[in-house]
Amino acid sequence: MAKHSRPDDRPGAPDRQWNELLQETRVMQTGIQILAAFLVVLPFQTRFQLLTRGEENVYFVLLAASALLIVLLLVPVAIHRHFFGQRLKPEIVRVGHHIVKSVGMCAGLLIAGCVWFVVHVLRGWQTSLLVGGSLMVVTIFLLIVMPYLIKPSWVAGTDYRDQAADDSEST
């Protein structure tokens, strides 16, 4: 058994990676769409009329961010459709990977922002800063910092092709 895992470069890898990317996109898109639907119906609630101009501005930012994230999740599929049959799947997977990774981080921040907003409207600034701020810190840690903490040290500085050559020389 190899002591280090390497990027999947076996035949059919781009197809497998594309399918994994689509699965991840489906999961994220459903959650973001539900959150966007929640935001879209807020103005039709009677309590919405009680918001200050500043609170309305925060609402608009959250609504626009949720719509942008939904559109961003469509980008890998749109690119795939555009270049369909042109044997560019590895490049499409690479671009899609970066987009989905960014959307995942931004979705976490959007969720924390929505919680902050709801708590702010219900309980005011102090409680919302405590609850929303805590959730924001936890979200940043889990979605941005933790992946770097659990990333094996050899991944950051070693080209997997160099590692493969080292492994073949040692056997």
Side-chain angles (χ1 to χ4, degrees):
M1 183 170 172
K3 62 182 177 178
H4 301 296
S5 64
R6 294 181 189 89
D8 187 2
D9 58 359
R10 297 172 292 170
D15 292 325
R16 284 190 300 278
Q17 293 165 346
W18 177 249
N19 288 333
E20 290 174 11
L21 191 66
L22 286 179
Q23 282 300 102
E24 293 166 2
T25 300
R26 287 182 189 113
V27 170
M28 279 196 282
Q29 191 168 28
T30 302
I32 294 169
Q33 285 175 332
I34 290 169
L35 184 55
F38 160 74
L39 289 169
V40 166
V41 300
L42 277 181
F44 303 104
Q45 305 301 315
T46 55
R47 189 167 176 149
F48 191 83
Q49 296 170 355
L50 302 175
L51 296 181
T52 66
R53 177 65 77 186
E55 292 167 339
E56 286 178 1
N57 290 338
V58 170
Y59 164 77
F60 289 132
V61 168
L62 294 171
L63 180 64
S66 67
L68 179 61
L69 291 179
I70 291 170
V71 171
L72 279 172
L73 283 173
L74 298 175
V75 170
V77 176
I79 291 172
H80 180 262
R81 258 316 90 206
H82 185 76
F83 293 110
F84 185 76
Q86 296 181 26
R87 301 183 184 269
L88 295 173
K89 196 168 281 178
E91 290 81 10
I92 294 168
V93 167
R94 183 181 51 76
V95 169
H97 162 73
H98 292 296
I99 290 170
V100 170
K101 188 170 137 181
S102 298
V103 168
M105 289 182 229
C106 291
L109 298 175
L110 175 65
I111 292 166
C114 286
V115 169
W116 172 86
F117 179 71
V118 170
V119 173
H120 168 71
V121 169
L122 295 176
R123 299 289 182 189
W125 281 103
Q126 290 178 336
T127 306
S128 68
L129 285 177
L130 177 66
V131 174
S134 299
L135 184 57
M136 190 69 70
V137 168
V138 169
T139 300
I140 289 169
F141 176 78
L142 292 175
L143 298 179
I144 298 172
V145 176
M146 193 169 87
Y148 290 101
L149 294 178
I150 63 173
K151 184 178 187 180
S153 60
W154 66 269
V155 171
T158 304
D159 184 344
Y160 72 92
R161 287 176 230 108
D162 295 339
Q163 186 64 42
D166 293 345
D167 287 349
S168 64
E169 291 172 5
S170 67
T171 55

